[in-house]
Amino acid sequence: MSPVRRCSRTACGRPAVATLTYVYADSTAVLGPLATYAEPHCYDLCSEHSERLTAPRGWEVVRLATDTGPTRPSGDDLEALANAVREAARPPERDGGKPTGGRGGDPMEIARRGHLRVLRSPDS
């Protein structure tokens, strides 16, 4: 089976780019970005079928912004990731073998190991 999800319309084999969901209580059809997982009560549609979508008479169609192009990390995303890796790799700051109260100056922080922090009890 192909890892690419296909359009739910009969005899259409194009890749899906949007997910259609019906809200029966509100008489609304919601067309949005492709859902992360295939849901049993949702319909995945290709770009052609999502553009031509119509709803039953009296129903409202809500179209959420969909990006049909391939997603690429932005420069900000890559910089944030690099900063997080640098921060996680940095050894904890210590003064004479004792914790300094955390890198951020948080007086509640006793020690730090990687991304985990040990906090002082609020009672002490």
Side-chain angles (χ1 to χ4, degrees), residues 42-124:
C42 298
Y43 302 92
D44 295 335
L45 300 176
C46 65
S47 60
E48 181 180 334
H49 285 120
S50 64
E51 290 170 7
R52 297 185 330 178
L53 174 74
T54 60
R57 185 173 293 146
W59 281 55
E60 180 182 358
V61 177
V62 176
R63 294 178 186 269
L64 303 175
T66 59
D67 182 19
T68 58
T71 58
R72 300 179 127 187
S74 71
D76 291 340
D77 293 339
L78 294 175
E79 186 175 349
L81 179 59
N83 288 339
V85 169
R86 282 188 207 108
E87 180 70 22
R90 186 177 299 147
E93 297 173 6
R94 296 186 180 268
D95 183 23
K98 295 182 179 178
T100 61
R103 273 179 249 156
D106 184 358
M108 295 298 291
E109 187 175 322
I110 296 173
R112 187 177 189 106
R113 182 168 198 144
H115 67 284
L116 301 174
R117 300 184 308 162
V118 177
L119 300 177
R120 184 182 329 270
S121 171
D123 300 332
S124 53

